């Protein structure tokens, strides 16, 4: 739909090469939308590539060459992968049913055996003969039909799938007979009178199903009906003759389908996308007179658009939609549907007919609304696998391809005017990126790529459109001009409605990438200036004050809106229902819980708790409570301002509640920063103070681990590795750091993280150096927290009769807690327990002592403080301290 501003005559001379080996039928069942009395068709033409004369004329030819990239011979369809995975799950489900529902399956087989005794033997003989013959005749006839139509590639795919299916069926037979549980074997086999058993999987029916499925029958309903009739007839015959079981038939069918779809996805299916010759022939069939076609590089990724020049009429923009294009990006669309609320993402059309009708409806509605968009003049089908939409050609360049000086106020105003016309009629564009905004030769904006739009759109969808266009324009002309142009056309109140939607998750993928690149570029520029200033002798805090770190680009757009409408709502709208971090936490938590439950199955913790020493348990509870005093000291010690001790203590207790819904060592950071801001500390300094506390805590954790590791390793009776091993581990860690520093991408990533960690922290630490008592409080609190947790684990071991050197317990706790906290589960659930139990048993403790001791430790330090944490959290909120 887009193109350069070259004349139609010049566009007609563009040429290229197009493969001719992907022919397809061009018949259509629907009448196109097209004015009457079209000009007569013309013969195909050859295009002259790179003509030197602008007056070059196309010459008639028997073949048409279209300027477009070569099409791949085979494509891997996501739908085949989905069907393969569903087939695997189906086979697994049948095997599970066979294992757990043994009585039901046995009863079903007995009922079938009793019913077959009433069937006349002549009928069973005839049925068996007919089904056996049909199983051989139908695939053979279908193969002959495909070969006559020169579709030998599909027949080869079917033969490959049949061979694989036969081999896999033999493997399953061997597994069921030799290694499967007796319940599964009984559900899939029948005992024969001669003492043998039937095959668990039909070795001849599975290849037939795989063959017919791989060859393809989606557009051949008669053959599909014939196949399944043969399959059901053969299955009925085998059941009547007591040669199989119902679950065996289910496994046979599912296995054949699964192998077929797996083969199709692995080797790919033949590409049946329409060629340029098919396109031009289809245009002639609906009354146009094309003389050349040129593949347009513009438009969204995965779309096929052509500039078509006619013999004696205006040029056309032709949009081709085919099945491969519909399948592209399937998994990304699936993830977006899982990630976002239904209102924030549009459902994709399920068929070519639906895609055609959707785009045509939006195009007609946009024209009727008065928006500047191309006029749709015809639609048609190109055989069973593609459709086309024909638009009038609008000359221009996409917004992304224009220089900034070309984007005048008139261009911006025209963009908002067209969008306002759409929104006034409740039409949402949903893809207002730079590639969808065509800057015309007249200095206006034409809206293209309307295929993903909505009619009768809701308020949230329309506001998402505004947020998208604001971001798109701001990336080109800056936030100030983008917001000002929107206010001039829409009004400030309507523009402010987009404020809660200015969040990356609600924007298109290309816009999110552009935002990240823009923020990264600006930050790199500021970092370079800081480096030059520091090199010139300027203090770090002075350099930051003179050239502050740039804020997020979307925040700048929000500030421009708030300058005009200060009372505008700023609370982000809830668009997400599933975050990647949440998904990772669920998977990691399930895996960790599986490991932990597997370990707990080895012993009965309830019995161990009934024999525990309650005095030691009370001491462990006191040690756990002491850790919160240390946490309060560590926070207060890194804040130059004076903090109320009791409220600081309550904030640390409240962190126990927050940890339940956030990964370990993450939720408390945000809570402490919020607490400091409410206590009167400026936001930047609050974040810096919490960062300083975390940074020093990390350093002390490493030093304590090394120190206790050295002490434990020198002990003669300890199972902890010797001090030489600790030193060797340090050397290995140093080598890994050097290797990371030698790899440029990894080095840049590490430097970026280190810079982010130290920005603001160093000035804060310099302020604290003036107060030695504050530093002592902070460092002492950090050490107290670690020692209190180690003491809690030590006394938990004593409660169950276990004993290890204190240094050994310290190494196990410090290492296990650090590794478990890296797992993205709330509070490190599952991971920390597993690692601590493994460490204690590795140090020589029996499982019956280590497992309940760790459970008691986690009960006292994680689960029991949740209720007091919730009370403290509610109290601080009521006092407006959070």
């Amino acid at each position: 739909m887009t193109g350069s501003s070259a004349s139609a005559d010049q566009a007609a001379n563009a040429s290229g090469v197009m493969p001719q080996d992907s022919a397809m039928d061009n018949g259509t069942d629907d009448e196109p939308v097209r004015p009457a009395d079209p000009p007569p068709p013309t013969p195909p033409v050859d295009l002259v590539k790179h003509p030197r004369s602008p007056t070059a004329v196309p010459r008639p030819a028997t073949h048409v060459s279209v300027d477009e990239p070569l099409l791949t011979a085979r494509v891997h369809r996501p739908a085949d992968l989905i069907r393969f995975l569903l087939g695997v799950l189906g086979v697994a489900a049948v095997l599970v049913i066979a294992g757990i529902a043994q009585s039901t399956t046995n009863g079903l087989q007995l009922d079938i055996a009793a019913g077959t005794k009433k069937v006349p033997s002549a009928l069973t003989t005839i049925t068996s003969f007919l089904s056996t013959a049909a199983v051989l005749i139908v695939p053979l006839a279908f193969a002959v039909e495909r070969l006559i139509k020169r579709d030998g590639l599909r027949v080869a795919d079917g033969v490959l799938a049949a061979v694989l299916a036969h081999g896999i069926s033999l493997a399953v037979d061997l597994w069921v007979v030799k290694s499967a549980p007796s319940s599964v074997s009984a559900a899939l086999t029948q005992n024969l009178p001669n003492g043998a058993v039937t095959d668990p999987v039909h070795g001849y029916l599975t290849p037939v199903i795989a063959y017919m499925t791989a060859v393809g029958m989606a557009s051949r309903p008669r053959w599909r009906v014939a196949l399944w009739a043969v399959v059901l007839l053969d299955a009925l015959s085998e059941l009547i003759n007591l040669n199989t079981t119902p679950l065996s038939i289910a496994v046979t069918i599912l296995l054949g389908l699964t192998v077929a779809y797996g083969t199709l996805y692995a080797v790919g299916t033949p590409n049946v996308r329409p060629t340029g010759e098919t396109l031009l022939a289809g245009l002639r069939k609906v009354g146009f007179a094309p003389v050349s076609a040129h593949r347009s590089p513009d438009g969204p990724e995965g779309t096929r658009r052509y500039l078509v020049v006619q013999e004696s009429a205006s040029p056309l923009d032709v949009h081709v939609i085919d099945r491969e294009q519909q399948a592209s990006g399937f998994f990304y669309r699936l993830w977006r549907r899982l990630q976002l609320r239904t209102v924030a993402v549009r459902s994709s059309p399920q068929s070519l007919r639906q895609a055609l009708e959707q785009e045509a409806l939006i195009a007609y509605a946009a024209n009727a609304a008065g928006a500047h968009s191309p006029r749709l003049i015809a639609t048609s089908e190109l055989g069973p696998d593609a459709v086309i939409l024909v638009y009038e050609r609008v000359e221009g360049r996409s917004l992304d391809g224009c220089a900034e000086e070309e984007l005048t106020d008139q261009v911006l105003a025209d963009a908002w005017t067209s969008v306002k016309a759409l929104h006034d009629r409740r039409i949402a564009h949903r893809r207002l990126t730079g590639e969808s905004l065509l800057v015309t030769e007249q200095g206006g904006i034409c809206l293209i790529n309307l295929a993903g739009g909505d009619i009768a759109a809701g308020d949230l969808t329309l506001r998402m459109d505004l947020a998208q266009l604001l971001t798109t324009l701001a990336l080109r002309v800056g936030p100030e001009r983008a917001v000002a142009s929107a206010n001039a056309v829409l009004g400030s109140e309507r523009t402010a409605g987009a404020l809660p939607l200015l969040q990356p998750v609600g924007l298109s993928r290309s816009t999110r990438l552009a935002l990240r690149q823009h923020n990264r570029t600006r930050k790199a520029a500021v970092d370079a200036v800081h480096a030059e200033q520091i090199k010139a002798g300027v203090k770090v805090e002075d350099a930051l004050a003179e050239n502050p770190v740039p804020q997020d680009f979307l925040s700048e757009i929000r500030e421009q809106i708030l300058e005009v409408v200060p009372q505008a709502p700023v609370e982000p709208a809830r668009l997400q229902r599933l975050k990647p971090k949440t998904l990772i936490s669920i998977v990691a938590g399930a895996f960790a819980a599986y490991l932990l439950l597997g370990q707990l199955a080895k012993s009965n913790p309830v019995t161990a708790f009934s024999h525990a020493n309650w005095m030691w348990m009370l001491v462990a509870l006191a040690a756990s409570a002491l850790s919160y005093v240390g946490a309060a000291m560590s926070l207060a010690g890194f804040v130059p301002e004076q903090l109320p001790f009791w409220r600081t203590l309550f904030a640390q207790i409240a962190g126990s509640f927050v940890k339940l819904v956030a990964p370990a060592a993450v939720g408390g950071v945000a809570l402490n920063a919020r607490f400091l801001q409410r206590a009167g500390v400026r936001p930047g300094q609050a974040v810096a103070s919490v960062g300083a506390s975390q940074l020093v805590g990390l350093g002390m954790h490493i030093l304590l681990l090394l120190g206790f590791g050295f002490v434990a390793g020198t002990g003669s009776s300890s199972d902890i590795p010797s001090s030489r091993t600790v030193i060797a581990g340090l050397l290995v860690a140093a080598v890994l750091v050097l290797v990371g520093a030698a790899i440029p991408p990894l080095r840049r990533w590490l430097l970026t993280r280190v810079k982010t960690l130290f920005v603001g922290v160093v000035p804060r630490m310099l302020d604290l150096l003036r107060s030695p008592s504050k530093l002592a409080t902070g460092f002492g609190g950090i050490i107290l927290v670690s020692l209190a947790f180690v003491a809690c684990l030590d006394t938990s071991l004593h409660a169950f009769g276990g004993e290890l050197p204190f240094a050994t317990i310290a190494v196990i706790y410090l290492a296990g807690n650090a590794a478990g906290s890296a797992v993205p589960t709330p509070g490190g659930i599952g991971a920390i327990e597993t690692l601590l139990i493994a460490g204690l048993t590795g140090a020589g403790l029996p499982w019956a002592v280590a497992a309940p001791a760790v459970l008691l430790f986690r009960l006292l330090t994680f689960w029991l403080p949740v209720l007091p944490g919730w009370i403290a959290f509610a109290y601080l909120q009521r006092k407006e301290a959070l």
Side-chain angles (χ1 to χ4, degrees):
M1 190 133 344
T2 63
S4 65
S5 58
S7 66
D9 290 338
Q10 290 172 320
N13 297 320
S15 70
V17 179
M18 177 68 189
Q20 304 297 327
D21 60 346
S22 183
M24 60 175 292
D25 296 333
N26 298 320
T28 176
D29 299 327
D30 301 286
E31 290 296 327
V33 180
R34 174 66 188 152
D37 300 327
T42 60
V45 294
D46 246 337
L47 304 180
V48 183
K49 188 173 183 179
H50 304 301
R52 297 184 180 275
S53 171
T55 60
V57 180
R59 63 186 191 295
T62 57
H63 296 283
V64 176
S65 298
V66 180
D67 183 15
E68 68 174 347
L70 292 174
L71 296 178
T72 57
R74 288 180 172 268
V75 292
H76 301 275
R77 296 178 177 177
D80 292 333
L81 178 60
I82 295 297
R83 294 187 182 106
F84 168 75
L85 296 176
L86 291 177
V88 172
L89 292 177
V91 173
V94 172
L95 295 178
V96 170
I97 292 173
I100 64 177
Q102 186 174 2
S103 300
T104 302
T105 56
N106 290 339
L108 182 60
Q109 293 178 24
L110 292 175
D111 291 340
I112 293 174
T116 56
K117 295 179 180 179
K118 302 178 181 179
V119 179
S121 59
L123 179 60
T124 59
T125 303
I126 295 173
T127 304
S128 178
F129 174 77
L130 291 177
S131 63
T132 303
V135 165
L136 297 175
I137 293 173
V138 172
L140 182 61
F142 190 62
V144 172
E145 188 263 351
R146 288 291 87 202
L147 291 174
I148 291 175
K149 293 192 175 183
R150 298 181 181 180
D151 199 4
L153 286 177
R154 288 187 179 274
V155 175
D157 293 341
V159 172
L160 175 61
V163 172
L164 292 176
H166 183 66
I168 293 176
S169 64
L170 292 178
V172 173
D173 286 346
L174 184 62
W175 172 76
V176 171
V177 174
K178 298 293 185 180
S179 305
S182 58
S183 58
V184 174
S185 179
L188 297 180
T189 59
Q190 286 271 33
N191 292 321
L192 297 176
N194 59 4
V197 295
T198 59
D199 292 335
V201 180
H202 292 265
Y204 65 91
L205 195 57
T206 303
V208 169
I209 296 174
Y211 168 80
M212 299 289 283
T213 305
V215 172
M217 296 178 298
S219 59
R220 302 169 182 85
R222 294 180 181 178
W223 284 106
R224 184 168 64 246
V225 171
L227 167 69
W228 288 111
V230 168
V231 170
L232 294 178
L233 181 63
D234 185 78
L236 179 62
S237 172
E238 294 296 320
L239 281 174
I240 291 175
N241 292 318
L242 300 179
N243 291 328
T244 188
T245 66
L247 291 185
S248 174
I249 293 175
V251 171
T252 298
I253 295 175
L254 288 173
L255 200 59
L257 295 173
T258 301
V259 173
Y261 289 123
T263 303
L264 289 177
Y265 186 76
V267 304
T269 55
N271 195 343
V272 295
R273 303 184 79 173
T275 64
E277 184 178 16
T278 305
L279 169 65
L280 295 185
L283 289 174
R284 293 189 190 95
K285 188 172 182 179
V286 295
F288 293 100
V291 295
S292 66
H294 177 74
R295 177 74 177 270
S296 174
D298 300 321
E301 182 180 357
T303 59
R304 296 178 65 193
R305 301 180 186 274
Y306 294 86
L307 163 61
V308 176
V309 178
Q310 300 190 82
E311 184 176 9
S312 58
S314 301
L316 305 172
D317 270 313
V318 181
H319 180 198
V320 180
I321 305 176
D322 54 47
R323 298 192 187 279
E324 306 307 328
Q325 177 185 324
Q326 278 194 301
S328 64
F330 171 81
F331 293 108
Y332 175 74
R333 293 197 303 271
L334 178 63
W335 165 243
R336 292 287 285 181
R337 289 193 64 80
L338 292 174
Q339 180 187 27
L340 302 182
R341 295 168 55 198
T342 304
V343 70
V345 61
R346 196 188 194 287
S347 59
S348 301
Q350 300 299 315
S351 66
L352 288 175
R353 168 62 60 181
Q354 290 179 351
L356 174 68
E357 292 173 349
Q358 173 185 317
E359 183 170 345
L361 177 61
I362 296 297
Y364 287 136
N367 289 148
H372 188 191
S373 60
R375 188 168 71 92
L376 179 66
I377 56 178
T379 62
S380 181
E381 288 186 345
L382 290 182
D385 297 309
V387 295
I388 58 172
L389 297 99
V390 184
Y391 294 88
E392 286 185 345
R393 176 73 176 177
V394 178
E395 297 293 347
R397 289 185 295 167
S398 67
L399 186 78
D400 292 336
C402 295
E404 185 175 347
E405 55 270 14
E406 298 180 64
L407 304 180
T408 63
D409 292 341
Q410 176 188 348
V411 172
L412 303 183
D414 197 52
W416 288 111
T417 301
S418 289
V419 172
K420 181 178 183 297
L422 291 180
H423 288 190
D424 288 344
R425 300 292 181 88
R426 314 299 294 180
I427 302 171
H429 189 287
R430 281 190 174 271
R431 195 186 282 171
L432 288 170
T433 58
E435 63 187 7
S436 299
L437 302 174
L438 188 67
V439 181
T440 64
E441 296 177 339
Q442 293 75 30
I445 285 288
C446 180
L447 301 180
I448 58 175
N449 299 331
L450 290 159
D454 265 339
I455 61 171
D459 288 336
L460 182 64
T461 305
L462 299 179
R463 290 159 59 201
M464 289 179 67
D465 253 9
L466 298 181
Q468 175 64 61
L469 185 56
L470 275 172
T471 308
T472 298
L473 296 179
L475 285 169
R476 294 304 320 277
V477 301
E480 185 176 355
R481 284 189 64 194
V483 174
S485 62
N487 290 335
V489 176
L490 304 178
S492 57
E493 293 294 333
R494 192 166 175 178
T495 304
L499 196 60
L501 281 305
L502 283 169
Q503 43 185 309
V505 71
L507 304 175
S508 68
R509 176 162 50 176
S510 60
T511 305
R512 294 197 301 271
L513 293 175
L515 278 173
R516 284 198 289 268
Q517 181 62 33
H518 188 79
N519 289 331
R520 193 180 301 118
T521 301
R522 293 195 307 162
K523 188 176 184 304
V526 173
D527 288 344
V529 173
H530 289 166
E532 292 294 333
Q533 289 179 321
I534 295 173
K535 188 176 180 180
V538 180
K539 294 183 179 180
V540 175
E541 54 269 26
D542 295 337
L544 291 172
E546 183 178 348
N547 294 285
V549 177
Q551 59 181 332
D552 179 68
F553 190 71
L554 290 179
S555 299
E556 296 184 11
I557 302 177
R558 297 187 193 100
E559 289 183 356
Q560 292 295 325
I561 296 176
L562 291 173
E563 285 184 5
V564 182
V565 190
Q567 72 277 9
V570 295
E571 184 70 21
R574 292 188 59 187
L575 299 178
Q576 281 185 294
R577 59 182 171 189
L578 180 64
K579 297 181 179 180
K581 185 184 295 183
T582 305
L583 184 61
I584 295 174
S585 298
I586 293 173
V587 174
F591 181 71
Y594 172 78
L595 294 178
L596 181 62
L597 291 175
Q599 292 175 344
L600 293 179
K602 300 178 182 178
S603 61
N604 188 355
V606 177
T607 304
F609 270 84
S610 63
H611 297 88
N613 188 318
W614 290 95
M615 291 300 298
W616 280 113
M617 294 175 70
L618 291 177
V619 176
L621 177 62
S624 175
L626 186 62
S627 66
Y628 292 98
V629 177
M633 293 172 57
S634 68
L635 179 63
F638 290 96
V639 181
E641 294 81 3
Q642 191 66 31
L643 296 178
F645 177 78
W646 289 108
R647 283 199 176 184
T648 307
L649 179 62
F650 289 159
Q652 306 314 302
I653 298 174
S656 301
F657 170 68
V658 175
K659 284 193 298 184
L660 189 62
V661 294
V666 173
V669 174
L671 184 139
N672 285 332
R674 179 68 174 172
F675 172 73
L676 293 180
Q677 293 178 40
R678 287 292 190 176
V681 182
R682 287 184 296 178
Q685 294 180 346
V687 173
S689 296
V690 175
S693 175
Q694 294 291 317
L695 184 62
V696 174
L698 175 63
M700 291 301 300
H701 192 100
I702 295 174
L703 290 177
L704 288 173
L705 178 61
L706 295 177
F708 281 118
F710 186 84
V711 174
T714 57
S716 58
S717 62
S718 176
D719 291 325
I720 297 296
S722 66
S723 56
R724 292 185 178 180
T725 305
V726 176
I727 296 174
L730 291 177
L731 293 177
V732 171
V735 170
L736 292 177
V737 171
L738 292 176
V739 170
I743 303 174
L746 185 58
R747 181 175 65 248
R748 287 192 294 268
W749 182 83
L750 289 173
L751 289 176
T752 301
R753 294 300 182 271
V754 171
K755 287 181 180 178
T756 304
L757 187 64
F758 279 91
V759 168
V761 173
V762 174
R764 202 63 170 164
M765 293 296 295
L766 294 176
D767 293 339
L768 291 172
L769 289 176
R770 304 170 186 171
S771 178
S773 61
K774 281 282 185 179
L775 285 179
T777 302
F779 279 85
I782 291 173
I783 296 175
L784 179 60
V785 169
S786 297
L787 293 180
F789 279 127
V790 175
C792 182
L793 181 58
D794 185 24
T795 50
S796 297
L797 287 173
H798 282 85
F800 294 97
E803 185 175 357
L804 284 175
F806 189 83
T808 301
I809 297 175
V811 171
I812 294 172
Y813 164 74
L814 293 171
N817 186 70
S821 299
V823 177
T825 58
I829 298 174
I832 293 179
E833 290 87 347
T834 301
L835 293 172
L836 291 181
I837 292 174
L840 292 174
T841 54
L845 281 178
W847 174 266
V849 174
V854 170
L855 292 181
L856 175 62
F857 169 75
R858 289 289 283 170
L859 177 67
L860 297 176
T861 58
F862 181 76
W863 294 108
L864 191 62
V866 169
L867 180 59
W870 174 75
I871 296 174
F873 188 85
Y875 170 78
L876 292 175
Q877 280 192 319
R878 189 168 58 252
K879 295 297 183 179
E880 297 184 351
L882 279 182

